[in-house]
Amino acid sequence: MKNIRNFCIIAHIDHGKSTLADRLLQTTNTISEREMQDQVLDDMDLEREKGITIKSHAIQIDYTYKGEKYILNLIDTPGHVDFSYEVSRALAACEGALLLVDATQGIQAQTISNLYLALENNLEIIPVINKIDMDGAMIPEVKDQIFDLIGCKEEEILLASGKSGIGIEEILAAIIERIPAPKGDPGAPLQALIFDSVFNSFRGIIVYYRIFNGAIKKGDKIKFLSTGNEYEADEVGILKLGMSPREEVRCGDVGYIITGIKNAKEIKVGDTITTVENPTDSRIEGFEEVKPMVFAGIFPVSTDDFEELRDCMEKLQLNDASLTFELETSQALGFGFRCGFLGLLHMEIIQERLEREFNQTVITTVPNVSFIAYTSKGERVDVHNPASLPDPSKTASIEEPFIKAQIITNAEYIGNIMNLCIGKRGTLIHQGYITTTRVELTFEMPLTEIVFDFYDKLKSQTRGYASFDYQPIGFRESDIVKMDILLNGDKVDALSALIHRSRAQDFGRRLCEKLKELLPRQQFQIAIQAAIGAKIIARENISAMRKDVTAKCYGGDISRKRKLLEKQKEGKKRMRQIGNVEVPQEAFLAVLKLDD
């Protein structure tokens, strides 16, 4: 065990984690030249296209240092705030972390929040300045920022370039010398923490774990503590680029196990694995339950596909433990799921993965956050979608979630950010200079306001120089109303939204205008209205397509034409009563892109 090191790489998005992981694998000959490609650990097409890491990836490296053989278990983590749950799980399986900082950009918001996550887990931190060979590298300034942040010595900061391979040997030496070996008792009962799992249609569910005590052998009878289910270990092994079977995985190691489980509900990330013969009496404290931030409905395009969609959601949840869902019904869309996501990017990724990995085309409703409503009798109601909001006449108060937003940017953009955040009902709590040119701004603001377009606007207002991170800070009372969209007097529940009263009129007007562009014209006039209760706050009309019934009249008396027009008018009236308006898929997505 003294020659095992478990470490992960943490950083802000785009600071070069995956590229550095590529170089570590290449330098140690873990991957042959034939298998080598950029972002080699990012095995999803989506990750390559977007250039971001979505899933944490574990891989074992064999390395000889000063004549001794070492096993290094590397976990590459995502950098985006929406996938911080992935990071927290990777940290629970490690003893140390490489804290990567981009030499051209310096410390950013997610660097700080990931560092705090690592410190909470008592990890040994190795600071690394990456991209030192780039033209805009500011090495002395970034070193000063790291001193202020973690108070280390100058010689402890490593300089590297993931692209050109500078400093990789020094990083490997630091991992071995500075990160402690795993502690644990190889002779004790088996205790292993599940930190990830994935569904394979041929082998069933493959579980990834880190062993804290004991060992696991092929053929052992094992037990999951939270469900109490028992299985036989058909195959155990370690994670190279693929899975590499072994007869035994020992204490301190990271590995996988296949037991032939097909039901997704039987595996819980954060659960403890032990053996049936010699069970442990205590579970490992894993991670706290994930708290979704954004809720949206996901519905199959055809109601016949509902059962298939349920299976796909369960398989996807295995691989993404931060996804939560429950059943929901909608008048407009039938049966579906109310899903909880960690943010809008997370929601977009889930939708993409459903389409690519499971061939499921789905309709996603307007995302919203969860509110707490108190009725006049004092009962508390958790509101995850507009339909579950109690009757306004019986509601005493509504509370909405607030967040503490941390924005790090160049001093010249302070004015733009102030305007943006105060326009989103934010209040400035703290403003401080990290260096002479970089400012840290802290705001308290409602989560509702940042769900839609805040991140995009922040990037455009600061030319991409601002970084953003947030933590929830609880619920506060607000003047929240439910805004309905009516088509010819009928409510479309999938387009309803919960919104602050001061925003409702403007939002309703823009939404009606957008729907007017997107809904196809009919033979009768369509009225699009936005309403709060019985009060209409915005309206647009889609005029009817009119057949020219008087074309056949050539000259003659006007009464002939009038008779034909009156007949047409009666027909349209009848058609309007029985006609229904089909709402295309784009209309549901329009709400997300109102500012475009």
Side-chain angles (χ1 to χ4, degrees):
M1 270 176 67
K2 69 178 176 51
N3 287 9
I4 296 176
R5 299 288 182 272
N6 296 316
F7 72 100
C8 59
I9 306 177
I10 53 174
H12 189 81
I13 190 166
D14 266 352
H15 278 206
K17 292 178 294 302
S18 298
T19 311
L20 183 70
D22 290 351
R23 290 298 84 73
L24 289 171
L25 297 176
Q26 212 172 9
T27 308
T28 54
N29 297 322
T30 305
I31 289 182
S32 65
E33 286 299 322
R34 190 172 61 81
E35 292 170 313
M36 192 63 215
Q37 54 177 329
D38 285 345
Q39 286 177 267
V40 71
L41 291 179
D42 294 347
D43 50 12
M44 248 188 270
D45 292 345
L46 261 178
E47 292 179 310
R48 296 181 173 286
E49 282 169 27
K50 293 182 180 287
I52 58 173
T53 304
I54 294 166
K55 287 288 303 166
S56 296
H57 296 275
I59 189 165
Q60 193 172 95
I61 298 170
D62 295 318
Y63 184 61
T64 306
Y65 177 67
K66 293 185 177 173
E68 276 195 73
K69 286 192 172 171
Y70 287 87
I71 292 172
L72 312 178
N73 289 310
L74 155 68
I75 303 179
D76 179 29
T77 64
H80 197 281
V81 65
D82 279 15
F83 306 113
S84 55
Y85 189 61
E86 287 284 327
V87 181
S88 73
R89 289 177 11 220
L91 294 172
C94 295
E95 278 83 30
L98 297 180
L99 179 72
L100 220 56
V101 183
D102 187 330
T104 61
Q105 297 188 20
I107 282 173
Q108 294 191 293
Q110 202 59 29
T111 317
I112 296 173
S113 69
N114 282 343
L115 171 70
Y116 289 156
L117 272 177
L119 291 174
E120 279 169 26
N121 284 290
N122 297 319
L123 265 61
E124 178 64 37
I125 307 290
I126 300 177
V128 179
I129 299 178
N130 193 24
K131 307 188 186 180
I132 57 164
D133 54 346
M134 286 185 72
D135 294 341
M138 312 172 291
I139 297 167
E141 292 95 320
V142 177
K143 274 188 178 177
D144 290 342
Q145 291 174 25
I146 294 174
F147 294 146
D148 293 345
L149 188 63
I150 53 178
C152 58
K153 300 191 182 85
E154 182 167 356
E155 59 271 18
E156 289 177 3
I157 299 175
L158 303 176
L159 303 179
S161 166
K163 203 74 162 177
S164 52
I166 300 166
I168 300 299
E169 297 287 348
E170 288 83 352
I171 290 174
L172 288 163
I175 289 166
I176 290 165
E177 286 171 3
R178 283 153 61 176
I179 293 176
K183 296 178 179 67
D185 181 356
L190 173 68
Q191 255 193 333
L193 176 74
I194 300 176
F195 68 88
D196 206 355
S197 54
V198 59
F199 186 82
N200 180 310
S201 46
F202 302 107
R203 317 276 321 253
I205 293 163
I206 302 166
V207 177
Y208 299 147
Y209 54 83
R210 152 78 200 274
I211 299 182
F212 283 87
N213 285 309
I216 190 167
K217 296 185 183 69
K218 185 178 177 180
D220 276 355
K221 283 279 279 186
I222 59 151
K223 179 180 176 181
F224 294 130
L225 283 188
S226 70
T227 57
N229 294 336
E230 297 177 4
Y231 304 96
E232 189 173 313
D234 296 338
E235 185 182 306
V236 296
I238 56 163
L239 297 157
K240 291 286 191 181
L241 188 57
M243 294 182 297
S244 176
R246 295 282 187 274
E247 283 302 311
E248 180 182 38
V249 181
R250 297 188 184 89
C251 183
D253 242 331
V254 173
Y256 73 91
I257 182 170
I258 298 174
T259 55
I261 306 170
K262 288 281 195 278
N263 186 355
K265 290 192 179 74
E266 294 175 29
I267 300 287
K268 276 194 169 67
V269 165
D271 193 3
T272 303
I273 306 175
T274 189
T275 51
V276 176
E277 290 163 16
N278 186 9
T280 179
D281 50 4
S282 64
R283 63 176 51 206
I284 303 163
E285 288 306 314
F287 340 96
E288 69 255 29
E289 282 293 303
V290 61
K291 294 183 184 69
M293 290 287 181
V294 175
F295 293 86
I298 285 187
F299 294 86
V301 173
S302 159
T303 44
D304 300 344
D305 299 338
F306 171 71
E307 285 301 329
E308 195 182 334
L309 180 63
R310 188 208 300 262
D311 289 345
C312 297
M313 294 290 280
E314 284 175 357
K315 287 172 187 171
L316 194 53
Q317 193 179 32
L318 267 181
N319 198 230
D320 186 347
S322 51
L323 169 68
T324 58
F325 61 89
E326 58 188 30
L327 279 175
E328 182 183 47
T329 54
S330 155
Q331 295 161 353
L333 301 168
F335 288 107
F337 299 97
R338 166 76 17 188
C339 302
F341 308 98
L342 297 184
L344 273 193
L345 177 67
H346 187 210
M347 179 179 124
E348 188 187 318
I349 295 293
I350 292 291
Q351 200 176 338
E352 284 264 351
R353 286 185 70 183
L354 279 171
E355 289 191 8
R356 290 181 185 214
E357 293 173 29
F358 302 103
N359 294 325
Q360 291 291 315
T361 310
V362 292
I363 294 171
T364 311
T365 62
V366 187
N368 63 289
V369 302
S370 63
F371 298 88
I372 298 173
Y374 290 97
T375 63
S376 43
K377 291 179 182 173
E379 296 165 354
R380 172 186 158 140
V381 182
D382 286 342
V383 181
H384 292 322
N385 62 352
S388 59
L389 187 74
D391 188 332
S393 61
K394 295 173 186 168
T395 308
S397 64
I398 300 176
E399 293 183 352
E400 67 174 332
F402 268 69
I403 56 152
K404 183 174 166 190
Q406 186 184 32
I407 298 168
I408 295 176
T409 183
N410 292 5
E412 63 197 90
Y413 301 116
I414 293 178
N416 292 359
I417 291 174
M418 292 275 200
N419 288 341
L420 174 64
C421 292
I422 290 165
K424 297 274 187 188
R425 297 192 284 135
T427 46
L428 181 68
I429 305 297
H430 170 75
Q431 175 179 343
Y433 279 80
I434 300 174
T435 63
T436 49
T437 55
R438 291 172 73 73
V439 188
E440 181 184 357
L441 301 167
T442 309
F443 288 90
E444 283 184 0
M445 53 203 301
L447 182 62
T448 333
E449 297 289 344
I450 68 156
V451 159
F452 284 125
D453 53 2
F454 179 79
Y455 197 66
D456 296 342
K457 279 189 171 169
L458 179 68
K459 286 291 182 196
S460 58
Q461 298 272 6
T462 59
R463 298 185 189 169
Y465 278 111
S467 66
F468 169 68
D469 185 39
Y470 63 86
Q471 296 92 29
I473 52 171
F475 285 77
R476 297 180 187 176
E477 196 171 318
S478 279
D479 187 7
I480 299 293
V481 292
K482 179 184 173 189
M483 189 188 77
D484 291 309
I485 296 293
L486 311 176
L487 294 181
N488 278 348
D490 295 331
K491 283 184 188 174
V492 182
D493 60 348
L495 289 173
S496 298
L498 294 169
I499 192 165
H500 194 267
R501 195 182 294 274
S502 63
R503 290 293 170 88
Q505 192 151 5
D506 176 50
F507 184 74
R509 190 180 303 119
R510 283 178 17 222
L511 186 51
C512 289
E513 285 167 5
K514 193 79 175 175
L515 287 172
K516 183 180 179 181
E517 292 170 26
L518 292 168
L519 291 178
R521 285 173 71 187
Q522 305 283 353
Q523 296 278 344
F524 52 91
Q525 186 185 22
I526 304 170
I528 306 167
Q529 295 167 310
I532 297 172
K535 183 185 176 192
I536 304 295
I537 55 169
R539 172 173 174 141
E540 291 287 338
N541 288 329
I542 298 179
S543 53
M545 287 194 292
R546 179 170 166 263
K547 185 180 172 190
D548 191 359
V549 286
T550 58
K552 60 185 176 185
C553 301
Y554 181 71
D557 188 12
I558 187 71
S559 60
R560 174 101 181 99
K561 289 182 182 176
R562 194 168 289 138
K563 184 181 165 189
L564 289 168
L565 290 170
E566 287 297 324
K567 191 177 170 187
Q568 184 186 38
K569 194 171 166 186
E570 284 300 314
K572 285 202 183 300
K573 201 169 168 185
R574 201 162 54 248
M575 195 186 280
R576 182 176 178 161
Q577 284 164 356
I578 60 164
N580 61 347
V581 183
E582 285 290 316
V583 183
Q585 163 90 0
E586 297 83 62
F588 295 111
L589 301 176
V591 191
L592 302 178
K593 302 192 171 72
L594 276 183
D595 281 354
D596 297 359

